[in-house]
Amino acid sequence: LGHWRDSIAVYTHAIQVDPRAAIMETNLGVVYMDSGERELAKEHFRRALEIDPNLLFALANLGTVLRREMNFGAAEPVLRRALAVKPDYHSVRANLAWSLAGQGKLGAARDELATIFANDPDQALAHRVLGMTLEASGDAAGAGQAYRRAVELAPTGSNLWALGEHLRRRGDRAGALTNLREARRVGYDP
């Protein structure tokens, strides 16, 4: 908590000294995003983009916050703008695929994921999004493989939770509990 408050004080002071410091607005937005203050995060990312409309870090983080809020329609154009700045930013492309899938644009989501896998077949977030996309398409077996691959590549709480939830939906209670408990053990709080 102290680090969070110190960061806010430092970035707020930097903005007071230089109100055109887009990167400080973005950094402050990240602090708020990480602390769960999404409205404040979006406000600072948008301020940064008013100063520098192509600031990649602000675009990527605003798109991520919008996607986390399941505001997929709003996230899509922001993430596309970020990709126009840096086309090989795979985590942004994975968030775009997630946003597309969330809007039911499953073919477009798969196309974005194919672009990622052509360049980086071991991108864990892309495998998790592939699992979501396949599950939404009715391919439960393929989804399970994708979720498992995400966990193999990066056994993070969010990947473990996604696999656990998939297994729960498939009726594999033991597998679900194992993964959901492990997600909690590593500190994941959905």
Side-chain angles (χ1 to χ4, degrees):
L1 187 59
H3 174 70
W4 180 73
R5 286 187 182 141
D6 291 345
S7 296
I8 290 174
V10 167
Y11 295 133
T12 300
H13 177 72
I15 292 164
Q16 289 169 347
V17 170
D18 181 4
R20 304 268 317 145
I23 196 66
M24 292 300 122
E25 289 283 3
T26 302
N27 290 346
L28 187 53
V30 169
V31 172
Y32 283 124
M33 181 173 72
D34 290 347
S35 68
E37 297 285 341
R38 291 182 181 161
E39 290 304 315
L40 286 170
K42 289 187 299 187
E43 176 183 325
H44 287 283
F45 296 142
R46 287 184 173 124
R47 282 187 196 162
L49 291 168
E50 288 173 8
I51 298 164
D52 182 352
N54 293 315
L55 185 60
L56 179 61
F57 197 43
L59 288 165
N61 282 293
L62 177 58
T64 298
V65 170
L66 293 168
R67 194 265 311 148
R68 285 180 182 169
E69 293 178 333
M70 298 192 322
N71 190 346
F72 302 123
E76 180 184 351
V78 174
L79 295 166
R80 287 192 186 283
R81 282 178 52 201
L83 287 172
V85 174
K86 186 172 175 25
D88 63 344
Y89 200 159
H90 299 312
S91 63
V92 169
R93 193 170 297 279
N95 274 309
L96 174 60
W98 192 332
S99 295
L100 292 166
Q103 296 174 76
K105 301 175 182 177
L106 301 179
R110 283 190 296 270
D111 291 344
E112 296 297 338
L113 293 168
T115 299
I116 295 169
F117 293 136
N119 296 294
D120 183 5
D122 294 333
Q123 218 282 347
L125 176 59
H127 282 280
R128 188 168 90 225
V129 175
L130 177 61
M132 295 164 38
T133 303
L134 292 171
E135 197 163 16
S137 300
D139 182 358
Q145 290 174 344
Y147 288 129
R148 283 183 182 85
R149 182 67 179 140
V151 169
E152 288 170 11
L153 293 167
T156 63
S158 57
N159 288 340
L160 288 159
W161 192 267
L163 175 58
E165 284 295 310
H166 168 74
L167 294 171
R168 182 187 59 75
R169 288 187 294 273
R170 299 284 296 150
D172 181 352
R173 187 174 192 281
L177 285 174
T178 297
N179 284 281
L180 295 172
R181 284 181 180 145
E182 182 62 13
R184 290 285 194 185
R185 189 190 68 74
V186 299
Y188 185 70
D189 184 14

